Amino acid sequence: MGPFSGDRLRRARLAAGLTREDLAQRAGVRSADRIRDWERGAHAPQARYVPPLAAALGVGPVLLYDVDPARPPLRVLRLARGLSLQQLAERAGMPIMTCQRIEQGRGHRHDLTALNRLSRILGAPVG
């Protein structure tokens, strides 16, 4: 799924003074067991869970990923916004494969129109 950091999730939860049950309830997650699995790194949350988790913890969504928050990769920006690759492609009005290639850093670097669309959708400069 990406460089989601279960350790960062756990530290943010503890810093917020929340139990796993509290966090699950506040973030709309089905059970505390899911939170436990995410913290242990057994699984990473689907993109749709990332924004509510971050909001419940009072942190920026990018901070839940093991990346430099000043220069997050495009994939992390997408996940932090709670978007699947399909949703990003639909919002950008471009083929999913184009979005995937751009996200992976393959090709289309010269396509400023596509990059500008993604930048607007993700709320951050990309390129």
Side-chain angles (χ1 to χ4, degrees), residues 61-77:
V62 171
L63 296 178
L64 297 177
Y65 290 87
D66 191 17
V67 297
D68 177 357
R71 296 184 49 86
L74 182 59
R75 180 176 185 166
V76 169
L77 289 173

Side-chain angles (χ1 to χ4, degrees), residues 22-125:
D22 294 335
L23 180 56
Q25 183 177 23
R26 291 183 185 190
V29 175
R30 190 176 315 162
S31 73
D33 290 341
R34 278 194 175 178
I35 302 292
R36 182 197 66 223
D37 288 347
W38 295 339
E39 287 182 351
R40 291 181 178 170
H43 305 284
Q46 293 177 353
R48 66 187 170 113
Y49 289 114
V50 175
L53 282 171
L57 295 167
V59 300
V62 171
L63 296 178
L64 297 177
Y65 290 87
D66 191 17
V67 297
D68 177 357
R71 296 184 49 86
L74 182 59
R75 180 176 185 166
V76 169
L77 289 173
R78 173 178 58 80
L79 294 170
R81 296 285 292 203
L83 297 173
S84 68
L85 192 56
Q86 179 69 38
Q87 290 169 320
L88 179 62
E90 288 171 2
R91 289 187 185 185
M94 61 179 78
I96 191 169
M97 292 305 293
T98 300
C99 288
Q100 186 175 39
R101 285 186 190 110
I102 292 171
E103 193 172 271
Q104 293 172 347
R106 297 180 314 156
H108 297 285
R109 291 180 185 204
H110 63 282
D111 190 346
L112 294 179
T113 302
L115 288 174
N116 284 331
R117 279 189 209 156
L118 296 179
S119 178
R120 282 193 311 274
I121 293 165
L122 298 174

